[in-house]
Amino acid sequence: MSIPQLKLRQQQILNHGWFFKERQIKLSLEADFATPEGWYSCRVPSSTYQNLLEQQLIPDPYYDQNEHLVQWVGERDWLYRLEFNANQNYTYSELCFDGLDTFASVYLNGQLILENQNMFLGQRIPVQLQAKNTLEIHFKSAWFEGLKRMEANGGAKPLWNGDASRVHVRKAQYHYSWDWGPKLLDSGIWQEIRLEQFNTRIADLTLQTNLEPNFEISSLDILLQLNGQFETAEVVLTLCDPNGITLEKTRLPATTALKHQFMVLQPKLWYPHTLGSQPLYCLKVVLLQDGVIVDQSEQSFGIRQVRVVQEPIANQSGSSFYFEINGIAMFTSGANWIPDDLMLARVTPERYRARIEAAKNANMTMLRIWGGGIYEDKIFYQLCDQMGILVWQDFMFGCAIYPSYPAFLENVKQEASYQIKRLRNHPSIVIWTGNNEDYPLAFGQGLYDASVAPDATATFGARVIYEQVLPNCMQEFAPDAYYQAGSPFFGAFPDDQTIGDRHTWDVWGSAAVPYREYQHLGGRFVSEFGMCAAPRLETLREVIPANQWSPSSPSFEHHMKADQGMMRLHKYAADIAKNLETLEDFVFATQIVQSEALNAAYRIWRRAWGRPHHRACGGALVWQLNDCWQVSSWAIIDSSHRYKPAYYTVKRALQAITINLWTDGAIWASNHHLETWQCDLEIYIFDLQGQVIHFETRAVNLAANASTELGTMPQGQAIYAVRLLQNNQVIARDSIFPEPYVQFELPKANIQVEQIGKHQLKISTDKPVKAVWLETNEISDNMLDLMPNDPQILELASIPEQLELRFLGGQKVFNLQAQLVIGDD
Ligand code: BMA
């Protein structure tokens, strides 16, 4: 064999030139691939639904009830085909498949090279190439493959959402439909395919930081693995600080597994955005052979210490559950994240950025990647690293009794190893959990017994996955990361409020109790809670035909998937107003409920974030931030990136400093700053005609990083409002109107909207008014309770000519263009 030339590893991304078609079962597979008929060009990465839609071969699955018309797509097999040229001057060629969805047989020049069975597992296949090559992929229907596996492995087991066969398929579980999503059993090349060619390459890079308890020094342990012919090679390792300046550089002889340690003195620590900045270090690796670069790689990382603090709480049972970053305890507020589309390749980096920025702007510090979706795209984690958003990462199991036969466990082990290695260097990821709600499901079915050791042959055999397979993989590939078997993971029973994290679904779900009950339904960390509301009207217009524009139309009801969803929506909306006959009125009533519910939950649970050793609630994550199609759901941002009113309410409830009221007259403030704050508190009480009947003001001290009780108000049927001021500037507000709203008539208010600058509006009122909603998207605040003599200034991206206002009990349209002050800035 001739000595290979020294060459840089080459990557050819195989994204262009693909064709796809429906498999014709009357033909042999070979003949079907060979037939010139029926092929359509397609993009890659993509999916079959997306490709069919782009070729106008199916109607939009999200429009009206088209979901029913496109189910056949998931019941067929699909063929994909590419011809590509390749260089043959390398010793090694590998085809890298970052993600195939799901059962895919891959042929290179007619030879089977891969039988893929897992959408979440990247594959790297050594291949022999010709100058001209054909890559053919046969995607089998996940629907039928799943049914076959279910039949062969003991039949249907209990689950919530989707079809019982889904648990046998390592594919995004929400594709089988969920209580917020349609069923679209998609398939295809959802991630990149690359040809990599090399004589020698960097095969794996493991980084581990170890920050000393005094935060003054951190080690960086590097393990580098090489592939190919590297006998005469050398490796150059360069450590760069967050500004890209070289801190240290070293040159070492290459070995199969090379270890090295750097020390970082006075490291710049990575923090969530509310506590500090997000410095990212970088390790660069260059592989040289006889002085020529043959491969290179770089990996960014952050240096931080994370603790999940579970310790006794003064005067309370159980233990705390909160995150401490670099020694700073934090109340963690945020949201659950679901995949942003059914057709996953449509989720662009811009979409990810918009959503994550929106979460950050709403003062959120954590997103939980929920176990019924996907391990997210790398851009998601990069953005969280850069923006200082913590990530709670589930493994992809949700709401079911999963199987535990050997082939399944092996598949899961490969997936977990691959994903942990892919994600472990992101400083944003602070917790990993084995599944979503599988323990409560098993518990509810009488299948879970904590006193029995996990056993793959038991009724809840999947405990072996969550208590052995996954923690073993974590131990091997990310030994310092915090892992917990599931979410929720609890003490004696799933709804335990004293230990672990809790999913609070007593409001909206189960008995659908009123949202004020959140007061008694918190937990040490509420990792899920939520309230459904319709999306914004413009978003509904995208999918509801004009002749179905009513709250009881089949089309509107089709865009609600939750169990008894319409009934529950109506039940809660009935507390807001009577005669909700138009879609506009009904939609707004559901949005008021959501806004009020989330406001109550966040404020009352933050109240339980006391001083050290009194941290009875360590955080709350709203279910859910985003949506995957136009649907009435718990999301606070709809699928067209329009904010529901609750988005703004949550944003205010999560401000660093809040002032809060409860229906029992309690007043308290929450302060996330690490210093004590001094403010002035103002209390107003209005009678139901809107006249002030009580006013008081006093100076208050707000304890650092804790909530502070500030007494109670006299009680009665009245409207209560509080403000916190600093240097005469209002920094926080809250108010309470008599509930349920439907039973009280509010005073007729004269609301005024005035343009006071190119991008500024002033809004004011002469009587208290509840839930004032300005029908626009890019605005600094919205969904306001307005009080007399307390005008609010709002910043808008642009001032519309006409502005529609809705509020509890009415609506109004302002013609703003007429008011424009010429020459004003
Ligand atoms: C949760 C989630 C999801 C579900 C949501 C709303 O518990 O884990 O499975 O979509 O509730 O019901």
Side-chain angles (χ1 to χ4, degrees), residues 571-609:
K571 172 183 164 8
Y572 281 102
D575 277 347
I576 300 297
K578 295 195 185 101
N579 305 324
L580 297 172
E581 275 142 29
T582 68
L583 192 56
E584 284 80 357
D585 286 349
F586 182 70
V587 162
F588 189 52
T590 68
Q591 293 172 344
I592 293 180
V593 177
Q594 185 190 38
S595 162
E596 295 295 300
L598 305 191
N599 189 49
Y602 266 125
R603 288 174 187 266
I604 199 75
W605 293 336
R606 264 185 88 178
R607 186 185 187 186
W609 177 252

Side-chain angles (χ1 to χ4, degrees), residues 311-503:
E311 61 180 22
I313 310 165
N315 310 323
Q316 298 217 23
S317 50
S319 47
S320 64
F321 190 110
Y322 65 86
F323 292 89
E324 191 192 82
I325 312 290
N326 305 327
I328 304 176
M330 61 184 290
F331 180 91
T332 307
S333 51
N336 285 272
W337 171 272
I338 63 166
D340 212 51
D341 205 320
L342 273 295
M343 293 166 254
L344 282 162
R346 302 203 302 190
V347 188
T348 56
E350 294 71 39
R351 259 166 87 165
Y352 278 115
R353 179 177 289 278
R355 305 286 191 272
I356 298 170
E357 261 171 8
K360 180 175 175 176
N361 291 338
N363 301 310
M364 294 184 170
T365 49
M366 178 177 267
L367 293 173
R368 168 172 174 245
I369 299 181
W370 162 81
I374 57 167
Y375 305 92
E376 275 297 342
D377 194 277
K378 67 174 180 294
I379 186 81
F380 181 98
Y381 304 95
Q382 286 167 349
L383 289 167
C384 290
D385 290 348
Q386 291 161 13
M387 290 192 215
I389 297 284
L390 303 175
V391 175
W392 175 315
Q393 177 70 51
D394 280 2
F395 283 93
M396 293 302 126
F397 302 89
C399 300
I401 301 296
Y402 280 83
S404 49
Y405 44 88
F408 190 81
L409 294 183
E410 180 52 33
N411 197 358
V412 166
K413 186 176 163 192
Q414 286 182 24
E415 165 191 324
S417 306
Y418 173 79
Q419 292 295 343
I420 297 166
K421 286 162 88 169
R422 186 171 83 90
L423 301 177
R424 64 186 164 189
N425 287 316
H426 290 284
S428 51
I429 303 179
V430 293
I431 179 171
W432 298 71
T433 40
N435 68 79
N436 172 76
E437 294 186 353
D438 294 0
Y439 283 84
L441 178 82
F443 194 95
Q445 302 283 328
L447 302 176
Y448 173 58
D449 181 351
S451 66
V452 173
D455 175 355
T457 63
T459 45
F460 182 28
R463 279 183 69 197
V464 167
I465 299 176
Y466 316 133
E467 295 173 45
Q468 291 172 358
V469 175
L470 299 178
N472 289 346
C473 291
M474 292 298 299
Q475 187 54 37
E476 187 173 350
F477 300 114
D480 288 342
Y482 179 84
Y483 171 83
Q484 157 178 304
S487 177
F489 202 64
F490 39 84
F493 59 98
D495 274 337
D496 193 340
Q497 292 180 265
T498 66
I499 294 179
D501 65 315
R502 184 178 202 264
H503 292 186

Side-chain angles (χ1 to χ4, degrees), residues 161 178-180 370 399 436-437 503 505 528 623 634:
N161 295 300
W178 215 264
D179 55 7
W180 35 259
W370 162 81
C399 300
N436 172 76
E437 294 186 353
H503 292 186
W505 283 111
E528 285 186 10
W623 182 270
W634 302 262

Side-chain angles (χ1 to χ4, degrees), residues 143-296:
W143 178 246
F144 291 115
E145 289 299 310
L147 289 176
K148 268 192 255 166
R149 281 165 173 72
M150 183 172 80
E151 271 157 41
N153 292 284
K157 298 273 160 40
L159 83 167
W160 298 318
N161 295 300
D163 184 80
S165 64
R166 72 172 165 83
V167 299
H168 297 271
V169 183
R170 293 311 295 150
K171 166 179 181 56
Q173 302 284 281
Y174 78 108
H175 278 175
Y176 286 82
S177 85
W178 215 264
D179 55 7
W180 35 259
K183 176 178 168 193
L184 290 189
L185 271 194
D186 215 345
S187 61
I189 306 165
W190 77 290
Q191 297 278 346
E192 189 172 283
I193 299 181
R194 282 181 316 283
L195 170 63
E196 290 200 8
Q197 295 184 285
F198 57 92
N199 298 332
T200 177
R201 78 173 181 104
I202 299 164
D204 195 20
L205 175 60
T206 308
L207 300 185
Q208 201 177 327
T209 56
N210 189 4
L211 181 59
E212 291 292 318
N214 61 8
F215 306 121
E216 302 266 308
I217 183 166
S218 175
S219 56
L220 171 69
D221 288 295
I222 302 160
L223 171 62
L224 188 70
Q225 281 163 306
L226 303 176
N227 251 7
Q229 302 153 339
F230 50 82
E231 290 72 26
T232 58
E234 285 178 305
V235 172
V236 179
L237 301 174
T238 310
L239 173 65
C240 296
D241 81 358
N243 297 318
I245 295 167
T246 300
L247 291 176
E248 238 186 299
K249 192 172 190 161
T250 189
R251 200 176 177 120
L252 302 162
T255 53
T256 325
L258 181 150
K259 285 187 179 169
H260 188 71
Q261 186 180 63
F262 283 125
M263 299 306 286
V264 187
L265 304 178
Q266 304 295 335
K268 297 188 176 77
L269 303 184
W270 186 94
Y271 285 95
H273 69 98
T274 48
L275 295 179
S277 56
Q278 292 75 47
L280 294 172
Y281 287 80
C282 180
L283 182 79
K284 295 183 180 159
V285 184
V286 174
L287 184 61
L288 298 162
Q289 213 150 24
D290 299 328
V292 177
I293 297 178
V294 289
D295 198 2
Q296 50 195 338

Side-chain angles (χ1 to χ4, degrees), residues 679-703:
C679 304
D680 293 310
L681 170 67
E682 291 182 352
I683 304 172
Y684 299 82
I685 307 181
F686 301 88
D687 65 17
L688 293 188
Q689 283 68 52
Q691 301 303 317
V692 180
I693 51 172
H694 178 89
F695 170 72
E696 66 181 86
T697 180
R698 59 185 147 103
V700 289
N701 271 335
L702 311 186

